[in-house]
Amino acid sequence: SYQAGYNLELEWDGVVVEISVDGGQSWLDLPPDGGYPGTLAQTQGNACLLDPAREVFTGPVDNLAPEPMAPYTSSLDAYQGLTAIIRWMLTAS
């Protein structure tokens, strides 16, 4: 579990949570339970080359104020008994 608050350009910039079980050689998406709240639908290209349909933390609408801190959980059941690294990756247009 973790808490996240953010203020990112809606559907242009986003953050994903990823997990690695091979020391950071490869990364897998580790979305929050229930999924991310948005996508990169407006991006014409982003620094991490993520697909515009990729679900991410993004927004809020009009960036009027940061999204308040909120609790999130992600299941780690598939990684039980393994050593894992978790990262939050920001991509921007």
Side-chain angles (χ1 to χ4, degrees):
S1 64
Y2 56 94
Q3 291 202 11
Y6 46 90
N7 190 3
L8 303 162
E9 189 172 11
L10 181 67
E11 297 182 344
W12 288 88
D13 302 338
V15 170
V16 294
V17 182
E18 296 181 322
I19 188 167
S20 175
V21 294
D22 61 6
Q25 299 298 309
S26 61
W27 294 92
L28 300 169
D29 194 27
L30 186 63
D33 296 339
Y36 292 103
T39 68
L40 295 169
Q42 297 298 316
T43 188
Q44 303 297 311
N46 54 72
C48 296
L49 305 176
L50 298 179
D51 187 294
R54 175 82 180 260
E55 291 186 345
V56 296
F57 289 111
T58 188
V61 174
D62 297 327
N63 299 101
L64 296 176
E67 288 288 335
M69 294 295 284
Y72 295 93
T73 59
S74 297
S75 176
L76 298 175
D77 290 346
Y79 308 101
Q80 188 172 358
L82 301 173
T83 300
I85 303 168
I86 297 174
R87 72 178 181 185
W88 283 257
M89 183 177 66
L90 167 69
T91 190
S93 297

